Amino acid sequence: MQYSDRVMDHFMNPRNVGEIEDAEATGLIGNAKCGDIMKMFLKIEDGIIVDAKFKTFGCGAAIATSSMATEMIKGKTLDEALQLTNKAVAEALGGLPPVKMHCSLLAEQAVKSALKEYYEKHDLINDDNRHLFDKLNEDAHDHA
Ligand code: FES
C-alpha cells in the first residue's frame, strides 16, 4: 500500500493530539467493523473554532486524517467546519488508497459529532444545515 508523504507526516507527527478540558463541544465516533475510535474536542468562541484537539485509537490513516481535519477546521466558523468532507481531508493529504477512504470518513464524522452536540445545545440545527449531519448515520466501511 502506498501512502503519500503528507499522510506519513501526519501519521508520524500528528498535529493537535490531546484533549481540551473545557471544550465547548466533544464528539466520539467509532467504527464497529474495524473497532477504531476517534474523539474530538472543540474550543469555540464567538462562532469560531479557536482550537481543536483529538485522540484517535486507530489505524495510521485514521490518525493522519484526524490530524489534518483538526488543522482544516481551526480558525473556521462553525458553518464552514460543518462543510468539511472526508474527500477534502483526503485530498489535503495528497490522497488515500481507496481501501483507506473510510478512515477519512471517521474524521469527518468525529468533527460533525462534536458540532452536532454544540448545535443541539444551542438550538442551531435548522432545515438548511440538517442534511449536513446525515453522514453521521453512514457506516464508514460503506465508503471503503
Ligand atoms: Fe478503521 Fe482506518 S481501519 S479507521
Side-chain angles (χ1 to χ4, degrees):
M1 195 179 299
Q2 199 61 34
Y3 284 118
S4 72
D5 290 347
R6 243 173 294 162
V7 172
M8 287 312 290
D9 178 34
H10 278 264
F11 168 52
M12 304 294 274
N13 313 292
R15 326 304 195 253
N16 311 311
V17 175
E19 298 184 18
I20 300 174
E21 264 180 35
D22 53 349
E24 273 75 33
T26 57
L28 178 67
I29 208 88
N31 184 292
K33 286 185 190 142
C34 65
D36 290 351
I37 295 168
M38 212 177 269
K39 189 156 189 193
M40 186 67 58
F41 303 82
L42 302 180
K43 187 99 198 101
I44 298 162
E45 278 169 24
D46 297 328
I48 307 276
I49 296 174
V50 292
D51 201 9
K53 289 204 187 303
F54 75 93
K55 278 192 157 173
T56 292
F57 178 82
C59 75
I63 291 167
T65 51
S66 24
S67 166
M68 181 53 92
T70 52
E71 285 287 271
M72 289 172 83
I73 59 171
K74 275 208 286 186
K76 295 272 163 65
T77 66
L78 297 175
D79 286 345
E80 284 167 349
L82 197 50
Q83 306 278 349
L84 182 79
T85 63
N86 69 310
K87 220 171 146 243
V89 175
E91 270 164 22
L93 283 168
L96 280 173
V99 295
K100 286 283 162 186
M101 275 309 280
H102 74 271
C103 316
S104 63
L105 184 64
L106 209 59
E108 179 189 333
Q109 287 177 321
V111 170
K112 290 212 155 102
S113 152
L115 287 171
K116 189 167 183 222
E117 181 186 280
Y118 189 88
Y119 275 61
E120 278 176 348
K121 195 155 62 184
H122 297 271
D123 212 9
L124 295 171
I125 297 184
N126 56 41
D127 288 344
D128 291 334
N129 61 30
R130 188 170 286 114
H131 68 282
L132 293 168
F133 293 101
D134 285 352
K135 276 224 205 148
L136 278 170
N137 303 321
E138 288 181 24
D139 178 348
H141 277 87
D142 292 346
H143 292 253

